[in-house]
C-alpha cells in the first residue's frame, strides 16, 4: 500500500507541475476538476493552483518544481490530518477559523476583509489559508487527545510562557502626572475624575494637554521591561486593562493608562501549546504512519 501511495505521489507531482507551469486560470474561473483523492477526500486543480500561488508569493526564491512539490505535499498532509481527526469525531468549521483569523489580523492593524483582498490581488484566495488552519487546528486536537498522557506541563512553565509572550509585546502607555505636594483633596478628585471619565488616550490628550495641574507623558512603542517600577509589575498583571491603579510617586499622583490592552491567552490555551510542543515528535511520527496507510489516487 505504501508503494502504491508513493507511485501516486510521484505521478501527481509531475501532473501538478504541468498545471502550475502551463494552465492559465482566470481569477473569475472556478476550477473544480479533481486531480487527487486522498482517503476519498478530493483535491482539485483549483486547490493546487491557489496553494502554489500562495507559496510562491511568500517564497519568491523557490523554483517552480519546489513550489509544486510543496503545494502537493501540504494538500495531501492536510487531507490526511482532517481524515484522521474526523475519525475521532474532531471537526472545526470554516466560520470558527475565519472569526479567529479576523481577530488576529485586527490585532495586527488589518482585517480578514483586507487580507482577502490582498490575496485576491496576488492571485490567491483566502480559502487556502482557512483550509490550512482547519487542518492544523483539528490535527493539534487529535495529537493532544491521542498522546496527552506522554506530556508533562507544570504551572511554572505556563507562567513563564505567558511572561515571555508579554515581554515581546509593544505597548502605548500614557502617564498623567498631577502635582500633589500639598496633598489637597482637589488634586485627588482630579485624578479620580480622569479615571472615571476615561474614554480614550486620544481624548485624554485633547482634554488635559493644556491643564495647568497635569503633565502628560505619551509613550509609544515601549515594552514592559522598559518601564520603571511599580508600573512594570502592574502592567505584567493587568496588561488586558486600560486603566491601571493610581500611584503616588514623589509628591505626584500618577494615573497610568494602557492605551493598547493585550488579550492574553488563557492558562488552558498555554497548556495546549506547551503540550503540542512536547508532543511534536509524536505528531511527526503519527503523520508518517498515516501517510503510509493512506490511499492516494491519481484522478487526472
Amino acid at each position: 500500500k505504501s508503494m502504491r501511495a508513493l507511485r501516486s505521489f510521484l505521478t501527481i507531482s509531475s501532473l501538478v507541475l504541468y498545471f502550475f507551469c502551463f494552465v492559465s486560470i482566470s481569477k473569475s474561473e472556478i476550477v473544480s476538476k479533481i486531480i487527487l483523492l486522498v482517503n476519498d477526500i478530493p483535491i482539485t486543480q483549483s486547490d493546487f493552483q491557489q496553494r502554489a500561488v500562495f507559496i510562491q508569493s511568500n517564497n519568491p526564491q523557490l523554483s517552480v518544481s519546489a513550489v509544486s512539490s510543496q503545494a502537493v505535499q501540504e494538500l495531501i498532509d492536510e487531507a490526511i490530518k482532517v481524515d484522521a481527526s474526523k475519525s475521532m469525531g474532531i471537526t472545526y468549521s470554516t466560520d470558527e477559523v475565519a472569526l479567529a483569523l479576523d481577530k488576529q489580523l485586527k490585532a495586527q492593524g488589518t482585517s480578514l476583509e483586507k487580507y482577502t483582498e490582498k490575496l485576491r490581488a496576488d492571485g490567491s484566495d483566502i480559502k487556502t489559508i482557512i483550509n490550512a488552519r482547519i487542518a492544523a487546528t483539528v490535527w493539534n486536537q487529535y495529537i493532544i487527545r491521542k498522546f496527552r498522557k506522554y506530556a508533562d506541563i507544570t504551572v511554572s512553565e505556563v507562567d513563564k510562557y505567558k511572561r515571555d509572550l508579554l515581554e515581546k509585546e509593544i505597548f502605548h502607555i500614557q502617564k498623567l502626572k498631577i502635582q500633589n505636594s500639598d496633598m489637597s483633596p482637589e488634586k485627588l478628585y482630579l485624578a479620580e475624575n480622569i479615571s472615571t471619565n476615561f474614554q480614550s488616550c486620544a481624548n485624554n490628550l485633547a482634554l488635559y494637554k493644556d491643564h495647568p495641574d497635569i503633565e502628560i507623558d505619551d509613550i509609544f512603542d515601549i515594552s514592559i521591561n522598559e518601564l520603571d517600577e511599580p508600573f512594570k509589575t502592574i502592567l505584567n498583571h493587568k496588561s488586558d486593562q486600560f486603566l491601571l491603579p493610581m500611584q503616588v510617586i514623589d509628591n505626584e499622583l500618577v494615573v497610568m493608562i494602557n492605551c493598547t490592552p493585550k488579550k492574553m491567552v488563557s492558562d488552558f490555551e498555554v497548556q495546549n501549546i506547551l503540550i503540542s510542543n512536547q508532543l511534536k515528535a509524536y505528531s511527526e511520527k503519527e503523520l508518517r504512519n498515516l501517510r503510509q496507510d493512506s490511499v492516494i489516487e491519481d484522478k487526472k
Side-chain angles (χ1 to χ4, degrees):
K1 186 183 293 185
S2 61
M3 287 301 295
R4 176 187 177 187
L6 177 60
R7 286 196 298 270
S8 295
F9 175 75
L10 294 174
T11 300
I12 296 304
S13 291
S14 300
L15 171 69
V16 292
L17 178 58
Y18 169 81
F19 282 133
F20 185 61
C21 292
F22 302 107
V23 178
S24 176
I25 302 176
S26 68
K27 293 179 182 178
S28 60
E29 186 179 0
I30 299 175
V31 181
S32 57
K33 175 179 172 57
I34 296 174
I35 59 174
L36 279 174
L37 276 179
V38 181
N39 298 333
D40 291 329
I41 296 176
I43 294 175
T44 68
Q45 180 180 321
S46 181
D47 292 332
F48 165 75
Q49 183 80 6
Q50 298 295 340
R51 183 61 59 92
V53 169
F54 179 76
I55 292 170
Q56 185 75 74
S57 66
N58 286 283
N59 303 275
Q61 78 282 0
L62 289 181
S63 66
V64 170
S65 60
V67 169
S68 175
S69 296
Q70 184 175 332
V72 172
Q73 188 64 68
E74 287 183 5
L75 291 169
I76 289 175
D77 284 351
E78 287 166 16
I80 291 171
K81 290 175 179 179
V82 168
D83 181 60
S85 301
K86 190 175 180 180
S87 70
M88 271 194 183
I90 301 170
T91 59
Y92 215 71
S93 74
T94 298
D95 289 343
E96 288 175 303
V97 171
L99 182 61
L101 180 57
D102 188 43
K103 287 182 179 179
Q104 178 185 337
L105 291 168
K106 284 178 178 175
Q108 298 170 358
T110 182
S111 67
L112 182 62
E113 182 178 359
K114 292 178 181 177
Y115 187 49
T116 300
E117 292 172 359
K118 179 185 181 302
L119 290 175
R120 190 177 294 121
D122 292 339
S124 187
D125 192 282
I126 193 65
K127 178 186 173 185
T128 196
I129 309 299
I130 289 177
N131 286 346
R133 288 202 167 210
I134 288 175
T137 300
V138 297
W139 180 249
N140 186 56
Q141 294 177 16
Y142 171 91
I143 293 299
I144 289 175
R145 186 177 297 184
K146 189 166 184 177
F147 300 105
R148 173 66 178 87
K149 61 184 177 182
Y150 300 112
D152 182 22
I153 306 300
T154 65
V155 173
S156 61
E157 287 175 319
V158 172
D159 291 341
K160 183 181 184 304
Y161 186 91
K162 294 175 75 172
R163 284 198 306 272
D164 290 344
L165 282 181
L166 265 180
E167 288 177 1
K168 296 174 184 176
E169 293 283 357
I170 298 298
F171 292 85
H172 171 199
I173 298 297
Q174 208 174 70
K175 293 181 184 178
L176 293 88
K177 304 175 182 178
I178 303 169
Q179 287 295 332
N180 193 36
S181 54
D182 56 357
M183 304 296 286
S184 68
E186 289 81 6
K187 299 291 181 63
L188 180 60
Y189 174 78
L190 176 59
E192 291 174 344
N193 191 57
I194 291 171
S195 297
T196 302
N197 297 310
F198 172 75
Q199 296 180 20
S200 70
C201 289
N203 190 55
N204 277 352
L205 289 174
L207 289 176
Y208 306 119
K209 65 178 181 178
D210 297 322
H211 196 290
D213 297 319
I214 300 176
E215 176 188 346
I216 301 180
D217 286 343
D218 207 40
I219 309 167
F220 288 89
D221 299 334
I222 189 169
S223 67
I224 283 183
N225 286 337
E226 294 175 298
L227 288 171
D228 296 329
E229 293 290 4
F231 303 112
K232 177 180 177 179
T233 298
I234 292 171
L235 194 57
N236 257 305
H237 290 90
K238 298 182 179 293
S239 61
D240 60 339
Q241 300 178 23
F242 278 106
L243 296 170
L244 304 177
M246 183 173 59
Q247 304 295 307
V248 179
I249 301 175
D250 297 332
N251 294 322
E252 287 182 332
L253 294 172
V254 182
V255 179
M256 181 170 164
I257 312 292
N258 173 16
C259 304
T260 49
K262 311 295 182 181
K263 184 180 183 302
M264 297 308 296
V265 292
S266 67
D267 287 357
F268 177 74
E269 290 172 307
V270 171
Q271 287 171 8
N272 280 345
I273 291 170
L274 294 175
I275 290 170
S276 296
N277 291 341
Q278 283 194 5
L279 298 179
K280 185 177 179 181
Y282 291 95
S283 174
E284 293 171 352
K285 182 178 180 181
E286 180 74 2
L287 184 56
R288 285 197 302 269
N289 291 339
L290 288 172
R291 283 194 195 114
Q292 292 177 354
D293 294 334
S294 293
V295 178
I296 303 173
E297 300 178 63
D298 177 349
K299 304 300 290 186
K300 66 179 179 179

